[in-house]
Amino acid sequence: MTGDLTDPRFLVHGDPEQVLAVADAAKGAEEVLSAAVYRSSAHRHRTASPETRRQLLALDAARYGASELSARLGAVPVPDAASPQWEVEWATGSKVDPRLRSTLTGHTAKVQSIATAVVDGRAVALTGSRDFTVRVWDLATGRQVGMLPIYAPFPCSWPMSVATAVVDGKPVALTCCDTFKVTVWDLTIHQRIGMMGSHRVGGAEGRIHKVETAVVDGRPIALTSGVDKKIRMWDLRTREPYGRPLAVRSGIRQSLQSLQALRRRGPLTDPTDLVLAMASTVVDGRSVAVTGGVSADVRVWDLKRGKQPRSPLSGHTDLVFAAAAAVVDGRPVAVTGGRDETVRVWDLATYEQIGEPLTGHVDAVEAVATAVVDGRPVAVTGGRDETVRVWDLATYEQIGEPLTGHVDAVEAVATAVVDGRPVAITGGRDQKVRVWDLTTRGQVGEPVRSHTDWVPSMATAALDGTPVALICGIDSTLVAWNLATRRPLHEPLAGPAGHASSVATAVVDGRPVAVTGGVDKTVRVWDLATWKQVGEPMPGHTAHVRSVSTALLDGRPVAVSGDEDGTVRVWDLTTLERIGGPMLGHTAPVTAAATAVVGGRAVAVTGSHDHTVRLWDLAAREQVGEPMLGHADAVCSVATAVVDGRPVALTGSRDSTVRMWDLATRRQLGEPLSGHDDWVTSLATAAVNTTGIAVSGGADGTVRVWDLTTRRPAGPELVFPALVSAVAVSPTGHLIVSFGGEIVVLTRP
């Protein structure tokens, strides 16, 4: 098989390493599109079967708006593979980006620090995570080439810190994770060669929080910050103290909000001077360090003299989380980012801020790195808004659109040069490390944009005969998608802050409505025809409303809602009034709710973090019998159906199982439905070709379809690039899946 990126068979059946090598040389619009599509899920292609690869490629082509390519990929023959049970009809592409070079997977907790080095002539990245490992990656191939096992005597409550240096011609790494020492590693053999560091407080060893490296008088040194509120220097050749400590004590501008926030994180005493960010550079031939922290000041230190030559640099209004250094027009500058959502550039010769703050992030800036792209100095920043942004340090403007793909806060950024091209390496809370080509590319494909954040809930409805999907985002917006035209019906419906996080649909007085619950502790009703709120919010909950479902009670439409405090309430959707008092029983958040009819009576089924499933009589507003027990962890999703004339409930849990319950007897039916490798985030039921099915979505990035009569899989699993957060089935039989903020609509062939 030839290495032709325009041949769908090569993409499906070709060896992933060969395909990726050909993708690096892509030219022309068609090849560049195919390369971008393949890279979107390259981390899955390496271990996937051709059958799974075909499905993923068809999905990713649809995310780029390339429907013809998606159809061609989905039609590639795969010998001995079962016929596809579902085909991609269309998908959104808010998180696709042709600048993505590779996705590095392996960490099992959030990635908090990244450093780069050159080992045996190859660019590598070191990524530190709260899973107590530092992994070493070959940036050219995207393969893990080593791992540094970090030992921590207690849970790592402070970010893992990683730095690199060259000592006597040998590349070394330095790591710390809220411990008393910094470990030094030989990167050529991935073995520990020593330890150093001591931040004593009151005669006892103190924890070290961060490590950075510099060169002073030609000697490689390490800089460490710790609970003693000092920056200490260490000779990396001897691993002995170098010079005197830098004491961060004078001229403090305290931020009360910042101090309170840090104290809430743990037993810190007077964290006023804690250093959260460090970088090193050279100014007028002098080695200097740039630091930032709780005080919101930026400080510059002469490392040889151990002093601050000038007063701190003021401008940030909250914690400074990140710092980096660069040279702009021959001038040394520092670039800092903080919780005030700004990036600031400082002239290190004049001690003045250059220009206005760089704005664009809509949440705290947690990471900063610098690079040179096409001869221009740039800054690369990562934030809690899940975006990575690139800034031109000569013009102080953002370059292009943000790099999107992370599905949680970006907490670490580093840069390197790979095969002559500048790249950025980013990591964060989604446990993924992504490598980006910083060379600007134009538009690739025609992706449809959607939510930019996680989708915790979906529902479907028919509006004037048109099937619609209601997508509820953690970004507090509600969007109604026309499944036929593949476009939103209206502008996103933005409620008050934190609303909404759960959604259900009903018909009230002949009008289709959406019912939502959210962090503002209210339940709201929205007219889907006018796209306006109906009446006033329904108050009564005392905590975040986590789940909503609807039913008919004595012929009247009602809503059932569950909240963070474990309370379940019932609402009359016609009068917008609460029906009776709260239904009490759960002892933890009620995260899932569904309704059914059992013995002619309307009931609600709720699942909770207390591991129980409970049945409620909606007319009497009382729990029916004892809780249904069986799950070994939090219950995250609930759906109901009728199987062989019996009302049943299906529940999904963090124990990775789906369980089926007879609602008349409240007993589990058969063995759990197993197959997911992580928690079951979402469930939906439907009838397809007269067969009752259940659809389960998981944090393992898969969707599984179950035959409700046999309780066995109905076809192969569907694989997605990220955690599946919500599933739904429309009245027209469309399967709607949300993963990482994206939406994909599938149909039966």
Side-chain angles (χ1 to χ4, degrees):
M1 182 179 300
T2 60
D4 183 358
L5 288 177
T6 64
D7 181 358
R9 294 174 302 170
F10 174 61
L11 300 178
V12 171
H13 292 286
D15 176 80
E17 299 304 329
Q18 182 186 1
V19 177
L20 289 169
V22 174
D24 287 341
K27 295 180 180 178
E30 191 174 358
E31 286 190 1
V32 168
L33 172 61
S34 294
V37 167
Y38 198 89
R39 287 193 182 112
S40 295
S41 298
H43 59 293
R44 288 198 177 270
H45 293 325
R46 282 193 167 104
T47 57
S49 66
E51 180 182 10
T52 297
R53 202 176 296 133
R54 174 180 63 183
Q55 177 240 310
L56 273 171
L57 287 166
L59 166 62
D60 287 331
R63 294 171 70 195
Y64 272 98
S67 55
E68 181 181 349
L69 176 59
S70 176
R72 291 169 58 208
L73 287 163
V76 171
V78 177
D80 301 323
S83 299
Q85 300 294 303
W86 298 90
E87 292 180 347
V88 177
E89 189 164 294
W90 61 274
T92 61
S94 295
K95 301 289 187 177
V96 294
D97 196 309
R99 292 167 290 183
L100 179 66
R101 184 182 178 106
S102 59
T103 302
L104 316 179
T105 60
H107 284 296
T108 58
K110 63 180 180 178
V111 177
Q112 297 176 293
S113 183
I114 300 175
T116 59
V118 176
V119 180
D120 295 331
R122 300 183 68 83
V124 302
L126 292 87
T127 56
S129 163
R130 280 200 176 173
D131 63 9
F132 301 115
T133 68
V134 172
R135 296 173 187 261
V136 186
W137 310 86
D138 185 317
L139 292 176
T141 65
R143 291 281 195 179
Q144 183 177 318
V145 294
M147 184 167 65
L148 314 181
I150 306 301
Y151 168 74
F154 33 71
C156 185
S157 61
W158 201 264
M160 171 75 77
S161 184
V162 181
T164 59
V166 176
V167 180
D168 296 329
K170 181 185 300 182
V172 301
L174 294 85
T175 64
C176 68
C177 185
D178 207 10
T179 51
F180 302 137
K181 300 286 184 180
V182 171
T183 305
V184 185
W185 307 82
D186 184 330
L187 284 180
T188 59
I189 56 176
H190 301 154
Q191 290 185 5
R192 187 174 69 180
I193 57 176
M195 301 184 76
M196 64 185 186
S198 177
H199 285 252
R200 304 186 72 84
V201 179
E205 289 280 10
R207 297 182 184 181
I208 297 173
H209 297 150
K210 193 166 183 62
V211 61
E212 182 58 79
T213 60
V215 176
V216 179
D217 289 338
R219 302 180 69 84
I221 67 166
L223 307 170
T224 59
S225 66
V227 294
D228 61 353
K229 305 170 193 175
K230 294 180 180 179
I231 300 169
R232 296 179 181 271
M233 297 185 287
W234 311 87
D235 187 319
L236 283 176
R237 289 189 179 126
T238 64
R239 294 189 284 280
E240 295 292 331
Y242 180 89
R244 62 183 182 181
L246 314 179
V248 190
R249 291 196 177 278
S250 59
I252 297 299
R253 293 186 306 109
Q254 296 189 17
S255 164
L256 180 60
Q257 180 182 6
S258 301
L259 295 177
Q260 291 172 340
L262 265 188
R263 286 193 177 104
R264 285 195 295 269
R265 293 178 55 174
L268 300 175
T269 59
D270 187 21
T272 309
D273 305 325
L274 278 176
V275 174
L276 307 176
M278 286 197 293
S280 64
T281 188
V282 176
V283 178
D284 295 332
R286 296 177 293 117
S287 296
V288 303
V290 179
T291 65
V294 173
S295 70
D297 287 323
V298 175
R299 298 168 181 272
V300 182
W301 304 85
D302 184 318
L303 294 180
K304 186 174 182 179
R305 298 173 58 201
K307 294 182 177 180
Q308 297 180 67
R310 300 276 289 273
S311 299
L313 309 177
S314 300
H316 283 290
T317 58
D318 211 328
L319 281 75
V320 177
F321 284 135
V327 176
V328 179
D329 294 330
R331 296 181 300 171
V333 303
V335 186
T336 56
R339 199 163 66 177
D340 60 6
E341 303 176 7
T342 69
V343 179
R344 297 173 188 261
V345 185
W346 311 88
D347 189 317
L348 294 180
T350 64
Y351 286 75
E352 294 179 351
Q353 183 174 312
I354 304 173
E356 296 298 315
L358 310 182
T359 57
H361 285 286
V362 294
D363 207 334
V365 180
E366 298 232 359
V368 177
T370 59
V372 176
V373 179
D374 295 331
R376 298 179 300 169
V378 303
V380 184
T381 58
R384 288 183 188 168
D385 60 4
E386 304 178 3
T387 68
V388 178
R389 297 171 188 263
V390 184
W391 310 86
D392 188 318
L393 292 179
T395 64
Y396 308 107
E397 295 179 351
Q398 184 173 311
I399 301 173
E401 295 297 314
L403 306 176
T404 56
H406 284 285
V407 294
D408 210 330
V410 180
E411 296 188 349
V413 174
T415 59
V417 175
V418 180
D419 296 332
R421 300 176 71 88
V423 302
I425 307 98
T426 61
R429 295 182 189 173
D430 63 4
Q431 305 175 13
K432 301 291 192 301
V433 177
R434 288 174 168 82
V435 183
W436 309 88
D437 189 328
L438 292 178
T439 304
T440 305
R441 286 185 182 271
Q443 178 76 19
V444 174
E446 298 179 355
V448 176
R449 304 300 181 185
S450 63
H451 285 280
T452 58
D453 211 332
W454 192 52
V455 173
S457 181
M458 292 195 298
T460 60
L463 186 60
D464 295 330
T466 300
V468 299
L470 293 159
I471 313 297
C472 182
I474 238 171
D475 54 7
S476 303
T477 61
L478 183 67
V479 182
W481 286 84
N482 185 321
L483 297 181
T485 64
R486 312 178 183 187
R487 290 290 187 273
L489 287 171
H490 310 278
E491 288 296 313
L493 191 62
H499 202 97
S501 59
S502 53
V503 62
T505 58
V507 176
V508 179
D509 295 332
R511 299 177 301 166
V513 301
V515 183
T516 60
V519 177
D520 66 350
K521 308 174 187 178
T522 68
V523 176
R524 298 169 186 257
V525 180
W526 310 86
D527 189 315
L528 293 181
T530 63
W531 206 234
K532 293 181 179 179
Q533 185 171 315
V534 179
E536 295 298 315
M538 294 181 282
H541 279 289
T542 58
H544 175 192
V545 179
R546 296 282 298 270
S547 53
V548 174
S549 187
T550 59
L552 288 176
L553 179 60
D554 298 329
R556 297 175 67 82
V558 300
V560 180
S561 56
D563 70 18
E564 192 82 21
D565 285 344
T567 303
V568 180
R569 294 183 180 273
V570 185
W571 311 86
D572 188 316
L573 294 179
T574 302
T575 64
L576 302 183
E577 294 179 349
R578 185 171 67 239
I579 301 175
M583 297 189 292
L584 304 175
H586 284 297
T587 58
V590 179
T591 48
T595 59
V597 176
V598 179
R601 299 181 69 83
V603 300
V605 185
T606 57
S608 165
H609 280 194
D610 63 10
H611 303 188
T612 70
V613 180
R614 297 174 189 257
L615 186 68
W616 309 87
D617 185 315
L618 293 182
R621 291 177 302 286
E622 294 179 348
Q623 184 173 313
V624 179
E626 294 298 314
M628 290 175 271
L629 305 176
H631 284 295
D633 208 333
V635 179
C636 307
S637 48
V638 175
T640 58
V642 176
V643 180
D644 296 331
R646 295 182 300 174
V648 303
L650 292 103
T651 56
S653 165
R654 285 187 180 269
D655 65 10
S656 305
T657 69
V658 176
R659 296 173 188 259
M660 191 167 172
W661 311 85
D662 185 320
L663 291 180
T665 65
R666 299 188 307 283
R667 293 184 179 276
Q668 185 174 315
L669 294 172
E671 294 298 313
L673 310 182
S674 58
H676 286 289
D677 295 328
D678 208 335
W679 58 292
V680 180
T681 60
S682 49
L683 282 167
T685 58
V688 176
N689 296 335
T690 72
T691 300
I693 64 167
V695 182
S696 59
D700 58 1
T702 69
V703 166
R704 297 173 184 267
V705 182
W706 310 89
D707 185 313
L708 288 179
T709 302
T710 64
R711 297 193 292 277
R712 299 179 68 85
E717 68 179 9
L718 301 171
V719 179
F720 295 85
L723 176 152
V724 173
S725 59
V727 296
V729 182
S730 77
T732 54
H734 288 93
L735 172 58
I736 307 151
V737 178
S738 179
F739 62 94
E742 304 279 35
I743 305 158
V744 57
V745 177
L746 303 103
T747 187
R748 302 280 287 185

